[in-house]
Amino acid sequence: MRLVMLGLPGAGKGTQADLLAKELGIPRISTGDMFREALQSDTELGRQVKEYVERGELVPDSLTVALVEQRLSQPDARDGFILDGFPRTVPQAEALRDTLAAAGKPIDAAVFIDVDQEEAIRRIAGRRVCSQCGATYGAGAPEVEAGRCSQCGGPLVQRPDDTEETARRRLQVYMDQTHPVVEFYRAENRLVTVDGGRDVPEVLADILESLRPFGLDGRAGDAP
Ligand code: AMP
């Protein structure tokens, strides 16, 4: 399947995209992770996007679309993928539609995880990431209490753009520029909306169930 995850920062897109990727046997492609990796390794791309990411603003469409197109051309994305954090503007959604249409492989569904803004802020302010392997832990996870990653033992830190001030800016950017993308997929009859205010397994079960009409038949790795 070819899926897009939508929702406020903090809605749980990354968590659900990871679980779905394992369930369906397809890669999760996160533009946020790609930008953070570029920043950490101080590449040319990292230098180009640094200011935007640190301020909680969107990286220009041209750079982002080129990065995603390059990533989607990799062999592991041939039989499906889950895009997490892209598209974030209507021009990005249009570029993605055109690229995939040219290959005859359109997006099957866009999953919108619905949470309210205050809940999103609470989750963002409470989450921590491993400074070594990048694993993310939600507010209240035992790893956050211990300050250590249970996968690699690395120290947990707050993402620089997860401070409350930057998080509020990211939410504003989302409302202005990304929410219209939800309407874009609704108009294409590709939108699935789930209530993200529940426990992780419940949200996952709801997503899997909601994807059935879009071609998911429950078999891992299936790519209609
Ligand atoms: P995320 O981890 O998805 O919240 O992304 C972190 C940051 O990366 C965002 O606040 C933006 O600065 C940048 N970013 C990620 N994805 C995109 C995108 N599709 N378009 C523009 N900027 C993006």
Side-chain angles (χ1 to χ4, degrees), residues 135-150:
T136 299
Y137 297 99
E143 289 86 352
V144 174
E145 285 290 305
R148 290 264 152 209
C149 177
S150 56

Side-chain angles (χ1 to χ4, degrees), residues 31-32 35-36 53 57 59 64 85-86 88 92 159 170:
T31 40
F35 289 140
R36 276 185 290 280
V53 174
E57 285 167 10
V59 172
T64 310
F86 181 94
R88 252 179 161 99
Q92 288 181 12
R159 258 173 60 175
R170 286 162 62 208

Side-chain angles (χ1 to χ4, degrees), residues 20 57 66 90 125 151 161 171-172 192 218-219:
L20 281 170
E57 285 167 10
V90 170
Q151 292 175 40
D161 59 343
L171 290 187
Q172 192 55 51
V192 162
R219 276 181 290 133

Side-chain angles (χ1 to χ4, degrees), residues 6 17 46 81 88 94 102 107 124 126 143 148 165 167 173 191 195 202 220-221:
L6 299 172
F81 50 78
R88 252 179 161 99
E94 289 168 348
I107 289 294
I124 292 174
E143 289 86 352
R148 290 264 152 209
E165 191 193 338
V173 168
L191 191 70
D195 171 6
E202 283 178 75

